[in-house]
Amino acid sequence: MNWQIAIDGPAGSGKSTIAQAVAKELGFEHIDTGAMYRAVTLKALKLKINLENEEEFHFLETTKIDFESQKIYLDDQDVSKAIRSLEVTNHVSLVSKYGYVRKKMVTLQQFFVANKNVIMDGRDIGTVVLPQANLKIYLNANVEERAKRRMKERLEQHQETGDLETTIKEIIDRDYKDSTRLISPLKKADDAIEIDSSNLSVECVVKKIISLVFERGYKMEKELKNENVELQEQTKEQKEELVEEQVTPEEEVITEVVTEEKVETPEVVAEEKVEDEEETLESEDSEASETTEVEETSEEETAKAVKYKELQIVSGTVVEVIPEQPENKAGSKVIKAKEERVLITLEDGQEGFLFKRDTAGIKEDEDLIDLFCEGDKVEVAIKKIFPDGGKFIFSTILLNKRKELEKFGAELKRDTVFTAKVLKQIQVGLLMKYEDFSCLLPTSQAAVAEDELATLVGKEISVAPIRVDYGRIRIIVSQILADRINARADKKTFMETLEVGQIYDGVVKNIERYGAFVEISKNVEGLLHISEIDHSRVFKVEKVLNVGDSVKVKVIKLEKEHIGLSRKALIPNYWEEYINGKAVGELTTGKVLEINNSGVVMALTPEISGFLPKSEFSWDRDVKLEDSVKVDEELEVKIIEIDATKKRIILSKKQLVVNPWQSLSVKAGDVVDAKVTKALPEGFIVTIDGVEGYLPKSTIRSIDPNSVEIDQEIKAKIRVLDPEKNKLVLSMRDAEERIERETFKSTMDLQDKMSNTFGDYLKQSKKK
Ligand code: DC
C-alpha cells in the first residue's frame, strides 16, 4: 500500500520546506500544490486574460503542469522561479478561488499520487485532495513569525521584501482570502494533527512528523521494502525476475552464470559439502561429525554474511589460486572435477571463489594463475551469496559493469535520451540493452498501454534514464520522459526557426470562447483569436471551426512562448473589396438565403451577405414575409446602411417604390370610391389608390352585407386615416348618411329657389 501524508496550513507556516525535508528523509515524492496554483496564475498573466472572468481559464484544457526532480514544469518549461514573483503572489488567491481551476488542479493532484508514496502540501489536501491520507498535519505559526519567514524567503530569492508591517498585512489578507473562499477554503481536517511551528526549528518539526509516520506503521512497511531490494532475502519468484532483468543478451554472461547457479544451487552447495568432505576424507572423518561441523559454521557464517549483499563491491586478498582438479575417486566416493579458481578472503575473514567465467579481461588461452598471485589485493563484486552463508562467488565482470555504471551515473546530464533495444518483456516491464548496460523500462513508464508492451520487443526505442540502480547494476528508464524531452527539444528547435509571417497548415486542438488553439507543429500551439478567424464577424468559433479541423494560418505575433495566429490574413478580404465599390443609396440585387421573424438574409455575393429587415420589406406594416418571398428568390434592393465595424449591410426593398400612403390625395371625412378586395369575418378589405383599408360590416346598412362581392365598387366615407400608422377605416353608413343629407339639402335649395320672386332670383345671380 502506498503512503500519503497531507500537510495543510496558512501562508508562511513552512509547509513546503517541511514537506520537502520529510520527503527527502523518507524517500517520498513531494508535491507542492501551491506551486500548481501559482503556475496557473503565471500562465493566466502571460496570456493576459481577464483574471476576474473564470470562463477565460479554459486554457487549462490544453495546459500541462508537471513535477520533475523538485522542479515544476508549465507546458514543459521550468517555471520554478517564475512562479515566486510578486505579481504571481499577488494574484494567486484570486485564481485559486475559482471552482473550475480547483477542479482541474485537484484531479491532477489525485493523478500524481497514484502508486506512489507522497507528501503533499497545500490548503485543502487533508479535506479535499487526499481525505484518506495516512497522516494529516495542520501546520501553523503566528502571523508575525510567518511574515518574517516570507520576508526571509524573498530576500533569499533576491526579491523585494517590503517592511514587516506590510508583510503582516499581506499575510492576514491572504489568510482571509484563503479561508473565506467558497470552494475548498483553508481548513484544518477533523483528523489532522496541529503543529505550531512558531518556536520550532525545521529539523524539530521534521522529526516530529517522521516519528508520527513511523508510529502509524510506516516503519514496518519501509523495512519490508528494504527487504525487497536485498537480493538474498527475496522470494524465489522475485529472484527469478531479478535475474531476468540482468540479461545482457549478446554475452548473456550474468544470466547464464546466475541462472546456472540458481539451477545448480543444490549442486554447488553439494560441491561445497564435497570440498568439506575432501578435507574430512583426508582424515577419514565420519559423515555425522562433518554434518555437525557444517551446521555449526553455517549458523555462524550466516550471521556474518547478512552484512553483505549480492552485487556489493568488496575488497579482499588472494589466498590461493587453486588449480583445476580432475574427477577422481576417493574410496567409494566420486569427487567431481573442479574448475580452476581463486580463493579470496574478505577483510573479516570470510572466503569465496572467483571463477574464470566471472573474471574480466581474461583471454581464452589464459589461466587464472596467469593473472592472480597469492597475497594480491583485489576488488570484486559479490555475485552470489549462498543462503547458508559463509561462501561467496565473486565476479570482476560485474565489478567492471558496476564501475562503468557509476561513471555513467556521474556523467549523466539532465534531459539525456538514448536509444535502447528492447530484449524481452518481464512481469514488471521491459528489459532493454543500451551499450553494455542493462536497462529496465517499468510498465508505468512506457508510452504504450500495458497490453501493447509486447509489440516493442526487438525494437529500438527512445528512453530517458530516471535512476541508476547501482544495487542491481542497471539503469531504470522512462519512455514517457524521453518522449517529453524529445518533444521539448523539438519544440525548442521549432521555436528557434519560427518567425512572424510564416504560414502553417495547422490542426484545431481546442476551442475556447475567445478563439481556437491550433497546433502548427508537434506540441506547438498558437492562439487563433476569434477576431482573426474571418474578415466578417464571427460570433461563435464553433460556427466556423471544429476540433480536428485543418486550418491554414499565418503567424502574426510572437511573444516569448505566445504565438498569435491569423486565418483571415490568408483569405481574400471580400468585405473590403465589396465595400470599396458600393455606397449607401445604391441599388443592387441579391438572393434570399434565409427568412426569419425579423427579416430576410440575402447573399449579395457568394461571400457577402446583407440583411433586409421586415420593416424595410414593404410599406405594408402587416406584411407576412413567408407569403411574400421565397428562399433563393432574386430581389432588387437598396443599400441603406453600411456598418464597417460590425461588417453589416442593411437593405431595403420598400424604398424602391413610392409610399402609397404618403401619396394619397384623400382625407378623413371624404366620401370615396373603393374596391372590395377581400372578405373578412367582420368586414372587408377595400383599396383606394393602392392603399388597403378596412370596411366593418356593421357600417353597411343600405344593402345586405352578405351580398357584397369581391371587386364590387362601393362608396364609403373615410372615418380614420393615419398614413404614419398605415391605418384606413371606412364606413358605408356614414357615406350614405352624408349623401342623404346632401340630397336633402339640394332638394331644399331647389324648393327655395322655386318659391323666390323674380327680383330675389336676380339678386342672387348678381352675387355670384
Ligand atoms: O503555498 P503557496 O503560497 O505557494 O500557495 C499559493 C496560493 O495557492 C495560496 O494563496 C493558496 C492557494 N492554494 C490553494 O488554494 N490550495 C492549495 N491546495 C494550495 C494552494
Side-chain angles (χ1 to χ4, degrees), residues 33-34 37-38 92-93 96 102 122-124 174 178 181:
T33 62
Y37 289 96
R38 284 171 180 270
V92 65
S93 282
S96 57
R102 298 208 71 82
R123 307 290 195 282
D124 57 347
R174 203 121 85 83
D178 289 346
R181 65 169 175 238

Side-chain angles (χ1 to χ4, degrees), residues 534-536 567-577 607:
D534 206 345
H535 294 293
S536 50
R567 173 179 172 267
K568 77 174 183 192
L570 298 175
I571 41 183
N573 194 343
Y574 297 113
W575 170 263
E576 288 294 326
E577 279 169 21
E607 296 82 19

Side-chain angles (χ1 to χ4, degrees), residues 40-41 44-45 48-54 56-57 91 94-95 98:
V40 174
T41 310
L45 289 167
K48 296 191 171 46
I49 64 159
N50 175 8
L51 296 185
E52 302 284 342
N53 183 1
E54 185 174 0
E56 296 198 20
F57 282 81
H91 292 97
L94 168 67
V95 171
Y98 294 129

Side-chain angles (χ1 to χ4, degrees), residues 294-352:
V294 168
E295 276 172 5
E296 276 166 10
T297 42
S298 163
E299 260 180 38
E300 216 177 87
E301 287 181 351
T302 306
K304 278 203 238 162
V306 165
K307 71 174 190 186
Y308 294 106
K309 284 194 276 185
E310 283 178 359
L311 301 180
Q312 185 179 345
I313 293 176
V314 288
S315 300
T317 310
V318 173
V319 178
E320 191 187 354
V321 181
I322 304 166
E324 190 181 325
Q325 284 172 19
E327 185 180 288
N328 66 31
K329 275 189 167 190
S332 58
K333 289 194 170 185
V334 176
I335 311 292
K336 280 179 82 182
K338 294 242 192 101
E339 282 178 69
E340 184 194 24
R341 59 209 188 276
V342 183
L343 176 64
I344 295 165
T345 47
L346 301 184
E347 277 151 4
D348 64 354
Q350 295 198 67
E351 292 182 336

Side-chain angles (χ1 to χ4, degrees), residues 192-323:
I193 294 169
E194 182 157 357
I195 299 178
D196 186 337
S197 70
S198 309
N199 300 309
L200 298 177
S201 67
V202 172
E203 295 72 34
C204 187
V205 180
V206 171
K207 261 191 194 158
K208 227 174 174 166
I209 295 177
I210 290 183
S211 65
L212 282 167
V213 172
F214 287 141
E215 256 172 46
R216 294 198 173 197
Y218 178 67
K219 197 166 177 237
M220 245 177 61
E221 199 176 325
K222 193 183 179 198
E223 279 172 359
L224 268 175
K225 228 175 147 188
N226 282 344
E227 280 168 16
N228 281 346
V229 293
E230 286 175 22
L231 192 65
Q232 69 264 42
E233 287 172 41
Q234 292 218 347
T235 61
K236 190 162 175 281
E237 296 91 272
Q238 281 169 319
K239 242 180 176 176
E240 275 167 12
E241 195 172 90
L242 222 93
V243 169
E244 269 189 300
E245 288 171 22
Q246 285 294 342
V247 174
T248 47
E250 278 140 35
E251 301 163 22
E252 298 252 316
V253 181
I254 309 171
T255 325
E256 192 187 295
V257 173
V258 180
T259 318
E260 194 183 299
E261 280 163 15
K262 179 166 59 78
V263 176
E264 287 182 9
T265 297
E267 264 183 68
V268 178
V269 176
E271 191 178 310
E272 314 238 320
K273 277 187 187 162
V274 172
E275 266 179 55
D276 290 336
E277 268 170 29
E278 274 180 79
E279 283 159 20
T280 47
L281 268 174
E282 274 166 27
S283 55
E284 295 275 299
D285 267 357
S286 71
E287 264 192 47
S289 68
E290 174 213 319
T291 318
T292 329
E293 199 188 314
V294 168
E295 276 172 5
E296 276 166 10
T297 42
S298 163
E299 260 180 38
E300 216 177 87
E301 287 181 351
T302 306
K304 278 203 238 162
V306 165
K307 71 174 190 186
Y308 294 106
K309 284 194 276 185
E310 283 178 359
L311 301 180
Q312 185 179 345
I313 293 176
V314 288
S315 300
T317 310
V318 173
V319 178
E320 191 187 354
V321 181
I322 304 166

